[in-house]
Amino acid sequence: MPNAEKLFLWKACNDILPTKLNLFRKKVVEDLDCPICLHQVKIIEHALWECESVEYVWGLCSMKLQKRNINNQTFRDLFLSLLDEAEDEVSIEMAVVAWRLWKRRNEVTFQKEFTSPTTILKQANQKLQDIRLLHHKPPVTLEIQRGAAVYSEQWQTPPNDFYKINWDAAIDHKRCRVGIGTIIRN
Ligand SMILES: [Zn+2]
């Protein structure tokens, strides 16, 4: 696992990341509003697991990550249970995606920029490919399991009598604008 992700995981598991809740406890900030979903942050895991903005990204990751449930678990418990059950590559995927989600949260706070879920996934996938190459493993196809379906770079025709909706969104905090694009095709 790369050092940046390793250090990030260590901080996340020991609850020493400067999350909104931790900053509030230290009286650095005066409110508990999540900078992305604007809901009140009640648990430390909000930034990496509970926030609506990250749920969608996890939902597009590998099956073992999609099925994770954080009910009554800390991020540390979640990661340790994953280490027990899953192969090494899934825990690396979790670390890479969580680190990118954490970076996005900081970009929203300090640069007023919000990276879309599809871009987050592409960046995380690129990093995972680089890690594989570094360890002399063959690159895998850029595909992410999503239920029985496969999310891929290549658009595929849906079955007869079905419509396929592709969408993406971007937020420009500086100009207070949101752009959403949707394509419905059969
Ligand atoms: Zn949130």
Side-chain angles (χ1 to χ4, degrees):
M1 191 177 295
N3 285 338
E5 276 79 358
K6 215 182 274 179
L7 181 64
F8 163 77
L9 267 184
W10 180 78
K11 287 183 179 176
C13 290
N14 286 288
D15 191 13
I16 55 171
L17 284 174
T19 57
K20 197 77 189 260
L21 195 55
N22 277 341
L23 292 174
F24 181 80
R25 285 170 180 159
K26 290 177 183 167
K27 298 190 167 45
V28 177
V29 295
E30 292 175 350
D31 66 81
L32 277 170
D33 299 341
C34 167
I36 300 181
C37 72
L38 306 180
H39 288 132
Q40 279 233 323
V41 176
K42 293 185 181 125
I43 57 170
I44 206 75
E45 286 72 21
H46 185 94
L48 301 177
W49 205 263
E50 196 207 44
C51 183
E52 290 165 18
S53 67
V54 305
E55 271 183 357
Y56 183 73
V57 176
W58 289 120
L60 290 171
C61 286
S62 61
M63 291 288 281
K64 289 220 163 98
L65 289 174
Q66 286 174 35
K67 288 177 183 168
R68 292 282 123 181
N69 192 332
I70 196 142
N71 282 345
N72 303 318
Q73 281 194 94
T74 61
F75 185 80
R76 182 194 170 92
D77 292 340
L78 187 76
F79 185 67
L80 290 180
S81 69
L82 191 74
L83 277 183
D84 280 347
E85 295 167 28
E87 61 269 33
D88 209 28
E89 290 204 0
V90 182
S91 49
I92 294 175
E93 179 189 350
M94 184 189 184
V96 168
V97 173
W99 185 69
R100 186 61 192 88
L101 289 170
W102 175 251
K103 274 186 74 181
R104 175 174 74 171
R105 182 159 285 265
N106 289 329
E107 288 159 6
V108 169
T109 304
F110 299 111
Q111 295 157 31
K112 309 296 179 202
E113 282 176 12
F114 180 84
T115 309
S116 73
T118 45
T119 305
I120 292 275
L121 285 164
K122 277 182 192 164
Q123 292 168 343
N125 264 314
Q126 186 56 56
K127 183 122 198 198
L128 290 168
Q129 299 300 325
D130 292 346
I131 294 170
R132 287 184 71 84
L133 286 174
L134 201 66
H135 292 90
H136 307 292
K137 290 181 182 171
V140 289
T141 318
L142 281 183
E143 290 176 336
I144 300 164
Q145 295 291 330
R146 190 184 186 190
V150 173
Y151 173 88
S152 86
E153 295 288 307
Q154 184 77 41
W155 190 85
Q156 290 169 2
T157 313
N160 284 342
D161 301 326
F162 280 85
Y163 291 87
K164 189 178 264 188
I165 301 173
N166 291 93
W167 69 277
D168 205 353
I171 299 174
D172 183 341
H173 280 268
K174 278 183 193 157
R175 295 181 204 154
C176 296
R177 285 181 176 173
V178 176
I180 299 174
T182 307
I183 304 173
I184 304 172
R185 289 175 285 188
N186 62 2

